[in-house]
Amino acid sequence: MKLKSNFKYIATPAKVFMTVLIVLVAVSILQGIILEIERTFRLSATIKPKAELTQEEKRLNRIRNSAKEFLPDGTIHLVYNLGYTPTRMGLPAREQIYDVNDDLLWEGPSDKRPFEYLSWAKQLRRYRDGFTREQMKQTQMITTEFSQNVRIPVRSDNKTEQIWRYHPGAKFFKGYNTSGEKIGYAGSTGFTDSKSKVKPFEEFRLFTAWCSQDSSNPTLLWQTQRHIYQIDFEKQQVKLIFENTEADIEIEGTSLHAWRDLKPGEKEYVDRRKYRPLLHCVTEDGKHHLLMRNPGRQLTITIPKAWQGWVNHYHRFTATKQGIFLSRTWTEFRKAPDYLQTREVLDRLLSDYQSKDKQRHVELYRLGTDGSLDLLTGYTWIVPARTGPVVRARDPRSAVQRGVAQFSSPLYDLAVRLLGRKFWLWAYSSRNMGDFFYSLARMIMDIQPYGGVINRILSALMMVFVFLHGWPRRTSWAKFAFWLVFAGLFNLAGLLTYLALNHTAVVKCPVCGRRRGLARFDCVRCRAELPAPERGKLDLILST
Amino acid sequence: MNEIVLETEALTKYYGGTLAVDHMDLQIPRGCICGFVGRNGAGKTTAIKLMLGLLNPTAGSSRLLGCDSSALTPAIRQRIGYVTEGHRLFRWMSIGGLEKFQRSFFPKQWDDKFFVDMIEYFDLPKKKKIKHLSNGQRAQVSLALALAPNPELLIMDDPTLGLDAAIRRQFLEGMIELIMRQGRTVLFSSHILGDVERVSDRIVVIDKGVLRANCSLEQFQKAIKKAILSFADSVPGDVNIDGLLHCRRSEKQLELTLVGTDDEKISEWAKSAGAENYNIVKMNLEDQFIEFTAPANHRRLFQWEER
Amino acid sequence: MRFSALLRKELRECLPWMLLAAIVFLALGGFFLRVEIHYRNPSWYYSRLSPGTIVESSLFTYYSILGIMGPLLLLSSIGLGLVLGIRHFWIPNFTRTWPFLLHRSVSRKTILAAKLTATMIAFVISLGPVWIGLYWYACRPEVFPIPQTPRVFIEGWIFIMLGLVTYLGTALSGLNTAKWYTTKIFGLVFAALVIFTIFPQCSLVWIFTVIAVSAAILLSRIFDTFLRREF
C-alpha cells in the first residue's frame, strides 16, 4: 500500500494546471524569441535606399505636407515647414508660404511670419495638457512604489496651504491643511465640510489644469461621463459648464481655444481680444457642442450624414468677434463601416487607399446662429499614391512565423473564436485591460496556428508520442485517455507537460519480456506480478 | 508462538529501474534482538525505511505492531523508537532543547531519570548544541532520545557507524539495558558483525535486495563452516559435496566453505577424495558473513584459484 | 502539546531570519522614509506653479512617501519567503533530518501545518509591525502634513502576502524530488509568475483573487506532495 493523501483530488488538477501554465509560458517565450530574431533579420534585409523623387513628385509632396491655413477673410495659404538646420538648433524653423496657385509668397523664420492665420481649438492630449481616464487608471496600478493618487494644491505666499486629494472609488475630493486636518470635500454640487453632504462626481473621463494670470493656484476643467465642470480650489467653487443628458461625452474629443486665461508667450496662449473662449466637445451620438464666452453661448451642431464615412476626416472650430468658424478636412476615399472587422478587410482597404492618387479637401464654413453651415472657401490637392511597398495592418506571416505557430496549441484558435476577433483586437490595441492581458492578447495573435494542417498533424504526432510512452506505463484507462486528449489539445506544451508529470520508470517484465511500468503491481501486458527471486539452495531461511 | 511485531510480505522496492529490495518476507517476533546485516548497497536502509513508512513499496506490504507501514498512526509511532542512519538531529538545538522536543511527544512514557542518567553517564552537558558534538556523542544523544520513551520496538539503522570501539561498547551497553526490559524488540542494522554477535539472538542477511538468511544466530553460526583439506598429490578436480558454497585450491590444499553440512559428511568426503587430513576451521561471525555473501565468482587477491 | 512543540521548533528556526528581515526593513525603510519626507515636502514641491501657465498633469500625480519603501518591503518579503522556504524544505534534504522529524507521534499533516503556521506567524510579526509602525509614522501630521491613503496600507500587506506566495513556491520546489532541470523549480517559477501577474494591476479584488487562488493551488500541492512523498 502506498502513502495516501486526501488532497489529491484538488492537488492533481492543480499540478496539471500549474505545469501546463509554466510549460505554455516557456514554449511561448521560446516562440517569441525565435520570431523576434527572425523579425530583426527580415527587417534589416528589407531596408532599401529611397528612390530620388521627380520635381513634380516633390511639388505634390510639398503641397501635401503643407499646413493649410486660413486668413480671417477666408484666403487660404499653404505653409511649408522647411525644418530645423543643424546650425540653427534652438531657433525657429524656416518656412515657405504659398498661395492656392502654388506661388511663393514668403520665406523666412516662422516667428517672423507676416500673416496672422485663424487659430483653432486644440484637442486635449494625454501626457500633454490632458489627464485622461487611462492615466487615472494607471495611477491606481500597483507598482513596486505602490499606487499613486491625484492631488491638487492650494498655495499662498509660495507655501502650500491645502492639498485636495481625489479618491477614485468615492469620486470626490478630500481636502487637508498642512496640519493634516481634514478641511472639506469637493463634489459635483460644490465644496462642503461634511462627508454626508458631498455629492460624488460621475465616472471620471478627463481633466486639464492651468493657473490663471492672477493666481498661482490651478483651476481644473473636470470632464465626467456627461458633465464638464470647472473647479477652482482656491475660491472653493465648482461650476457646471456643460451637461448632456442624451449621450456620453467622448473621452478624447474635447478641445479648448482661449478658454484658459494664460499669459502671452505661453504655448497655448490665444489673444482673447481677437478670439472668444471656446470649448468644443463631441458626444457619442455624433453631435458637436460649442460653449462660448464673451458673450456666453452654447451651440449644438449635427454634422451632415454626407460628411461621414470619409478617410482622415476631422473638424476644427474657432470663435472670433466676427463669427464662429468650422474647418473641415477630409480625403475623398470611403471606408466601409466594417473595415476593422477582420485583418483581411483592413488590409484590402489599406492596399486600395495606398495604390491610388486621392483628392484631399479643406473647407471653411461659417456657423449660423441656428447651427447652419455656410461654405466660405475651400481647397483641394492630390495625395499621390504610395511609392514603394504597401503599408499593411500587419505584415503577412513569414515562413518562420507560420512554422513556429504550428507548435502552438489549437486551443488558441478556439479562444479567438469563442471570444471573437473584436475582443482580441480590442485587447491588443487599447491596453484597456492592463499590460498583462495586452501581452497575452498579443502573444496569442502572434502565434495563433490559424487551423493549419501542419498544426493538426503535429498535435496528432504528440498524441502518438504520448501513446507510445504511456502504453506500458498506464495505470488506468481514464488517465491514459486524458493525457492523449491533453497532448492533442496543447500540442508541444501538452507533450512536455505529460512527460514532466509521468516519468515512471519501466523495466522488462520477467514473464512476457516486454516493457512495463512500475506504477502498478502487475504487468499491463500479461498481468503477471513481479516474480519472487529464486530461493538459493544454500539460503538459511528458517522459521521463527 | 511469539507475537510478530514486524512482518513484511513480498516487500519490493525499485528506485527508477534499479531493484533495491526484492520480495522480502520477514517476520520478527516480540522480544527478539535481530541483527540486520548486508553488504554496502544491499538494501538494509531501504528495507528499514519501507518498514517505517518513509518509502512507498513498489509491491508487497509491511506491518509494524499490526499496523500497515504506509498508515502508521501516531499512537503506533509512539511505541516505536527509531535511530536514524548517521544520527541526524537538529544541529542548532541543544541537548536539553532536543530532550524537551522529544519529550513533548511522549508525555506519559518519557523516563526522565533514564535520560538524565544516560546523558550523565556519557558526560554530555545539556546546554551543548548538537553541532558542537562529535559523531560518537551525537550517537549517544540519539540513543538516549530513542530509549527514554521506553519503546516497545526499537529500530536502529547502522547505529554504530563511525564510532570507535569504546563508544560502540557504551552504545551496546545502552542497548542491553533496553533488552533487559521485558517484551522489548530490537531490530538494528550494522556492518560491525562483532556487535551483532555480542547482542543479537537473531540474524537477517540481505544481499542485493534479496533475503538470504533469517534464522537464529546460533543456527547461522552452526551452519556455516570452513574445512581445509590437505593432499599428498594433486587436489581433486571435481568437488561434489553437499552444501558447498565456495572452493579454493592451492597446489596441495583445498579450502571448502560449506553451509549446513555435518562434520560426518565432511569426514566421509575427505576420505573418499583421498585427503591426507582435514581441519574444520573456527570462524567468527564476520568471516562467516563474508563467505556467505561473497559472490560465486569471488576472487581473492592472492594465491587461491577459483572454483 | 505536540503541535505546540513542533510550532516552537519551527519558530525558533525562523527566528534569526525574522529578526534580520525586520531589522533590515526597519533600518533601511526608516532611513529612506526620512530622506523622502525631507525631499517631498509639499511646501516647496509645487513651487513650479506659476500664473498664466498650463500645469503639466504629471505634477498632480503623486507617489506616496511610503513608495520609497515599496521595493524594500517587496524584497524583504520575497527574501524572507525564499529563506524560510529553503530553511524548512531544502535544508532538511541536505542534513537528512526528515526521518527524525517524520517519526513523531503526529501525522505528517500536523508536521506540515506547524511549518506553515510558523511561517505565517513569522511574516506577520516580523514585517507586519514594522510596516504598521512606519505607516503610522508617515501618517502623523507633524511628520508629513498629508495623511496616507488606506490603499497604500493594503498594498503593503499585498507585498507581504507575495512573500508568503514565494515561501509556498520555494516549499513546493524543495519537496519535489525531480531533477532541478525538469520540474523541481516549477514551484518557484509559479510563484514568480504570480508576482509578475500582480504588477501592474489596478483592481484590489483581482489581486486578492489571484493571490488566494495561487496560494490554494500551492498549498494543495504542498500538502499532497508532503503526505505522499518518500523521504
Side-chain angles (χ1 to χ4, degrees):
Chain A
M1 254 173 76
K2 300 206 176 185
L3 292 162
K4 281 190 181 159
S5 156
N6 293 334
F7 292 89
K8 67 178 180 186
Y9 299 109
I10 308 169
T12 305
K15 181 165 70 172
V16 174
F17 169 76
M18 227 174 93
T19 310
V20 77
L21 182 70
I22 290 169
V23 172
L24 270 174
V25 168
V27 168
S28 306
I29 288 172
L30 190 61
Q31 287 174 304
I33 290 170
I34 295 171
L35 291 179
E36 279 307 312
I37 292 171
E38 186 265 339
R39 212 169 268 154
T40 308
F41 281 109
R42 180 162 43 91
L43 287 176
S44 58
T46 55
I47 293 172
K48 286 177 191 158
K50 279 190 186 165
E52 192 60 35
L53 297 171
T54 63
Q55 284 302 321
E56 180 59 13
E57 281 170 343
K58 282 183 185 171
R59 190 185 75 86
L60 286 175
N61 269 344
R62 176 178 48 76
I63 292 171
R64 178 192 179 181
N65 294 327
S66 297
K68 283 71 181 177
E69 301 285 6
F70 295 94
L71 290 171
D73 63 2
T75 309
I76 298 175
H77 284 175
L78 280 68
V79 181
Y80 182 61
N81 191 312
L82 292 164
Y84 296 94
T85 55
T87 53
R88 293 173 65 83
M89 287 299 286
L91 294 169
R94 288 186 69 78
E95 60 186 29
Q96 293 170 334
I97 299 177
Y98 293 81
D99 65 10
V100 295
N101 299 317
D102 208 26
D103 295 322
L104 179 64
L105 298 175
W106 180 82
E107 179 175 341
S110 55
D111 60 337
K112 298 277 191 289
R113 200 192 274 178
F115 305 102
E116 203 173 314
Y117 301 114
L118 284 176
S119 75
W120 302 93
K122 280 198 186 139
Q123 213 171 30
L124 297 173
R125 292 280 155 87
R126 69 166 88 170
Y127 301 118
R128 283 172 25 188
D129 52 353
F131 188 90
T132 62
R133 184 175 66 176
E134 260 296 304
Q135 288 169 268
M136 184 65 85
K137 219 173 173 181
Q138 279 173 5
T139 64
Q140 296 294 297
M141 280 183 181
I142 293 185
T143 65
T144 50
E145 283 92 17
F146 303 126
S147 57
Q148 302 174 72
N149 48 67
V150 169
R151 296 182 180 189
I152 314 294
V154 174
R155 290 164 59 81
S156 166
D157 296 329
N158 269 341
K159 274 172 57 182
T160 305
E161 299 290 338
Q162 298 171 6
I163 291 281
W164 291 83
R165 186 163 67 197
Y166 181 67
H167 291 259
K171 297 194 184 78
F172 54 70
F173 288 86
K174 270 190 209 171
Y176 300 90
N177 62 21
T178 49
S179 307
E181 291 162 357
K182 223 175 280 183
I183 53 171
Y185 302 84
S188 58
T189 51
F191 283 72
T192 172
D193 52 10
S194 161
K195 193 177 177 181
S196 55
K197 290 182 190 161
V198 68
K199 193 152 180 270
F201 292 103
E202 282 176 327
E203 197 188 305
F204 169 78
R205 290 292 172 97
L206 177 76
F207 84 81
T208 185
W210 68 94
C211 295
S212 306
Q213 289 195 65
D214 59 353
S215 170
S216 60
N217 286 306
T219 302
L220 266 61
L221 196 76
W222 189 268
Q223 179 183 320
T224 64
Q225 247 173 307
R226 293 190 177 192
H227 298 81
I228 299 178
Y229 303 86
Q230 190 153 308
I231 310 174
D232 189 328
F233 288 92
E234 186 182 14
K235 293 174 188 157
Q236 296 206 348
Q237 285 174 350
V238 177
K239 267 194 227 162
L240 177 63
I241 304 293
F242 175 73
E243 181 178 18
N244 188 271
T245 52
E246 287 160 12
D248 290 354
I249 306 170
E250 281 187 8
I251 296 172
E252 294 186 29
T254 306
S255 312
L256 295 178
H257 193 243
W259 189 269
R260 296 169 282 203
D261 181 22
L262 304 174
K263 65 182 185 213
E266 179 68 9
K267 199 179 171 193
E268 305 294 340
Y269 169 74
V270 177
D271 192 346
R272 284 180 165 188
R273 291 170 299 180
K274 296 175 187 168
Y275 293 93
R276 291 163 71 188
L278 169 75
L279 185 151
H280 162 232
C281 65
V282 187
T283 46
E284 285 178 358
D285 54 4
K287 291 184 182 160
H288 291 250
H289 306 268
L290 301 177
L291 283 76
M292 288 155 288
R293 286 180 176 155
N294 306 340
R297 190 157 166 230
Q298 185 168 331
L299 203 58
T300 298
I301 301 134
T302 306
I303 298 295
K305 271 214 167 74
W307 287 14
Q308 292 167 18
W310 298 107
V311 165
N312 292 341
H313 180 220
Y314 66 90
H315 313 101
R316 297 182 296 175
F317 291 88
T318 190
T320 68
K321 306 292 184 197
Q322 286 74 41
I324 306 165
F325 298 94
L326 158 70
S327 156
R328 176 192 174 215
T329 313
W330 84 103
T331 304
E332 215 170 302
F333 188 95
R334 281 229 178 251
K335 55 187 185 221
D338 64 343
Y339 73 99
L340 276 178
Q341 190 69 22
T342 65
R343 187 167 64 84
E344 290 70 33
V345 170
L346 182 55
D347 273 339
R348 255 202 314 277
L349 171 75
L350 287 170
S351 179
D352 283 345
Y353 181 81
Q354 290 170 77
S355 59
K356 300 176 182 153
D357 289 349
K358 301 156 284 290
Q359 287 197 324
R360 190 155 169 78
H361 309 269
V362 66
E363 287 168 350
L364 180 69
Y365 292 82
R366 183 196 293 272
L367 268 66
T369 50
D370 57 348
S372 59
L373 298 165
D374 180 28
L375 176 65
L376 297 176
T377 183
Y379 174 70
T380 300
W381 69 98
I382 301 291
V383 176
R386 185 180 170 82
T387 53
V390 167
V391 171
R392 295 175 159 274
R394 282 174 70 201
D395 287 331
R397 290 180 144 197
S398 64
V400 170
Q401 193 173 4
R402 281 198 304 275
V404 160
Q406 301 312 317
F407 289 92
S408 299
S409 166
L411 287 179
Y412 292 163
D413 285 338
L414 185 65
V416 172
R417 190 184 289 275
L418 281 176
L419 287 167
R421 187 155 180 82
K422 268 191 180 166
F423 169 82
W424 291 105
L425 279 171
W426 172 75
Y428 183 91
S429 61
S430 67
R431 287 179 124 126
N432 280 331
M433 294 169 81
D435 283 339
F436 173 73
F437 288 103
Y438 169 79
S439 308
L440 186 69
R442 186 178 169 156
M443 179 202 82
I444 288 176
M445 289 175 74
D446 273 350
I447 59 175
Q448 192 186 343
Y450 284 105
V453 171
I454 296 174
N455 174 256
R456 303 303 189 244
I457 291 172
L458 282 171
S459 293
L461 207 61
M462 303 303 164
M463 292 174 75
V464 168
F465 279 133
V466 168
F467 181 87
L468 291 172
H469 185 274
W471 186 250
R473 292 171 172 83
R474 67 187 187 281
T475 51
S476 78
W477 285 109
K479 273 191 200 169
F480 186 63
F482 168 78
W483 285 113
L484 276 178
V485 171
F486 189 86
L489 286 177
F490 283 96
N491 202 319
L492 178 64
L495 173 66
L496 292 175
T497 305
Y498 164 77
L499 290 173
L501 298 179
N502 294 276
H503 41 68
T504 338
V506 286
V507 293
K508 203 169 156 183
C509 175
V511 175
C512 64
R514 290 149 84 188
R515 290 187 321 143
R516 56 148 288 181
L518 289 170
R520 46 190 288 171
F521 291 162
D522 57 347
C523 174
V524 291
R525 323 269 198 178
C526 63
R527 295 279 178 259
E529 292 199 5
L530 291 163
E534 259 187 49
R535 282 271 165 256
K537 284 187 197 142
L538 303 177
D539 284 351
L540 288 167
I541 314 286
L542 303 169
S543 59
T544 52
Chain B
M1 192 163 159
N2 272 353
E3 179 198 348
I4 304 294
V5 297
L6 189 158
E7 69 174 312
T8 69
E9 191 184 323
L11 193 64
T12 306
K13 177 67 182 169
Y14 272 86
Y15 283 124
T18 306
L19 183 58
V21 174
D22 190 0
H23 285 80
M24 192 168 78
D25 292 309
L26 182 66
Q27 280 113 27
I28 309 288
R30 186 179 288 280
C32 149
I33 297 93
C34 183
F36 193 28
V37 298
R39 293 194 166 211
N40 287 341
K44 303 186 296 297
T45 301
T46 303
I48 286 174
K49 284 187 170 178
L50 282 164
M51 291 170 201
L52 284 165
L54 296 172
L55 293 176
N56 280 320
T58 306
S61 64
S62 161
R63 298 180 76 80
L64 286 185
L65 297 173
C67 184
D68 192 295
S69 293
S70 60
L72 286 176
T73 62
I76 298 288
R77 283 202 189 270
Q78 213 169 22
R79 294 157 62 190
I80 304 170
Y82 176 42
V83 176
T84 63
E85 186 186 23
H87 308 289
R88 305 285 181 171
L89 302 169
F90 303 126
R91 290 169 54 81
W92 56 272
M93 269 194 185
S94 65
I95 296 172
L98 256 179
E99 181 209 345
K100 268 192 210 149
F101 178 72
Q102 182 80 332
R103 184 168 43 189
S104 53
F105 295 94
F106 304 95
K108 290 176 186 161
Q109 297 154 252
W110 186 263
D111 190 340
D112 199 36
K113 187 178 178 309
F114 177 80
F115 182 85
V116 169
D117 286 346
M118 268 196 95
I119 295 298
E120 280 174 2
Y121 177 73
F122 292 136
D123 198 23
L124 296 169
K126 272 195 179 183
K127 287 191 179 161
K128 206 161 183 187
K129 292 205 177 185
I130 300 298
K131 63 185 173 194
H132 296 141
L133 299 179
S134 67
N135 282 347
Q137 289 174 319
R138 220 172 54 242
Q140 288 160 354
V141 172
S142 193
L143 181 66
L145 289 172
L147 292 180
N150 212 359
E152 268 179 61
L153 170 62
L154 180 64
I155 298 178
M156 299 192 286
D157 193 350
D158 217 343
T160 56
L161 179 71
L163 304 185
D164 66 35
I167 303 293
R168 279 204 338 260
R169 176 70 63 89
Q170 286 177 340
F171 194 93
L172 291 169
E173 281 167 6
M175 215 159 62
I176 290 165
E177 164 69 33
L178 180 74
I179 292 160
M180 283 167 61
R181 301 179 193 190
Q182 289 283 338
R184 302 298 182 240
T185 312
V186 179
L187 169 72
F188 73 104
S189 74
S190 184
H191 289 122
I192 315 290
L193 276 298
D195 295 345
V196 176
E197 197 169 10
R198 182 176 272 116
V199 298
S200 304
D201 51 26
R202 194 158 189 86
I203 186 167
V204 173
V205 178
I206 181 169
D207 186 30
K208 288 178 189 162
V210 179
L211 194 66
R212 295 282 311 279
N214 177 13
C215 57
S216 69
L217 187 64
E218 200 186 321
Q219 285 169 320
F220 187 83
Q221 286 178 311
K222 213 171 156 186
I224 299 174
K225 294 176 186 158
K226 186 181 279 187
I228 298 179
L229 290 75
S230 304
F231 293 84
D233 298 314
S234 55
V235 300
D238 194 26
V239 179
N240 55 352
I241 181 172
D242 284 346
L244 179 67
L245 191 59
H246 301 296
C247 170
R248 291 183 193 93
R249 292 183 170 79
S250 70
E251 210 182 302
K252 286 185 192 272
Q253 270 190 336
L254 207 56
E255 185 186 285
L256 303 177
T257 308
L258 302 153
V259 178
T261 313
D262 296 338
D263 286 357
E264 291 88 34
K265 280 206 175 134
I266 296 171
S267 174
E268 266 177 42
W269 191 85
K271 265 192 201 146
S272 66
E276 267 188 338
N277 57 43
Y278 76 94
N279 190 20
I280 294 179
V281 176
K282 194 172 165 50
M283 287 201 292
N284 62 19
L285 184 63
E286 187 171 307
D287 293 331
Q288 287 175 311
F289 167 76
I290 290 168
E291 290 296 334
F292 187 66
T293 56
N297 58 352
H298 167 71
R299 277 176 196 266
R300 276 211 186 144
L301 280 178
F302 305 108
Q303 294 169 327
W304 304 99
E305 292 174 7
E306 300 177 86
R307 178 171 172 222
Chain C
M1 190 182 172
R2 294 166 201 181
F3 180 79
S4 58
L6 286 166
L7 187 63
R8 266 198 310 275
K9 174 245 175 204
E10 301 298 343
L11 274 172
R12 283 181 63 193
E13 275 186 358
C14 298
L15 192 61
W17 308 108
M18 283 161 56
L19 286 174
L20 185 65
I23 290 168
V24 165
F25 182 45
L26 178 63
L28 287 178
F31 171 71
F32 287 136
L33 185 60
R34 284 301 318 163
V35 169
E36 189 72 355
I37 286 167
H38 174 71
Y39 281 109
R40 295 268 292 275
N41 193 315
S43 284
W44 45 263
Y45 182 76
Y46 296 109
S47 54
R48 285 183 274 168
L49 292 170
S50 65
T53 57
I54 291 176
V55 184
E56 246 184 70
S57 54
S58 61
L59 191 69
F60 299 127
T61 55
Y62 198 83
Y63 277 113
S64 164
I65 47 164
L66 291 163
I68 193 85
M69 293 193 327
L72 188 63
L73 177 58
L74 187 63
L75 281 172
S76 303
S77 182
I78 289 174
L80 185 63
L82 269 171
V83 164
L84 292 184
I86 290 171
R87 188 71 195 82
H88 282 170
F89 295 96
W90 288 70
I91 285 180
N93 295 334
F94 297 112
T95 58
R96 290 192 245 167
T97 49
W98 280 124
F100 178 75
L101 180 64
L102 288 170
H103 189 72
R104 305 285 102 212
S105 55
V106 288
S107 63
R108 282 196 189 188
K109 230 188 278 185
T110 309
I111 295 171
L112 183 61
K115 286 187 183 285
L116 298 173
T117 309
T119 303
M120 280 195 54
I121 293 173
F123 268 89
V124 169
I125 66 175
S126 67
L127 296 175
V130 178
W131 171 239
I132 292 171
L134 287 170
Y135 181 84
W136 170 82
Y137 177 72
C139 284
R140 294 180 66 197
E142 55 268 29
V143 170
F144 194 76
I146 313 303
Q148 307 303 308
T149 55
R151 189 182 165 106
V152 166
F153 184 69
I154 294 170
E155 288 168 11
W157 282 102
I158 288 174
F159 286 12
I160 292 173
M161 277 189 252
L162 289 178
L164 277 167
V165 171
T166 308
Y167 168 79
L168 293 175
T170 313
L172 185 60
S173 286
L175 287 173
N176 194 330
T177 53
K179 298 271 187 293
W180 67 267
Y181 49 82
T182 57
T183 58
K184 185 162 181 75
I185 56 165
F186 274 23
L188 280 164
V189 171
F190 185 74
L193 274 178
V194 169
I195 294 171
F196 280 119
T197 312
I198 297 293
F199 296 107
Q201 296 297 331
C202 310
S203 164
L204 290 179
V205 171
W206 162 255
I207 289 167
F208 282 118
T209 306
V210 167
I211 291 176
V213 168
S214 51
I217 288 172
L218 286 168
L219 271 171
S220 66
R221 293 257 0 244
I222 287 167
F223 268 94
D224 185 60
T225 308
F226 192 76
L227 294 179
R228 297 207 279 174
R229 192 200 143 169
E230 301 185 325
F231 289 93

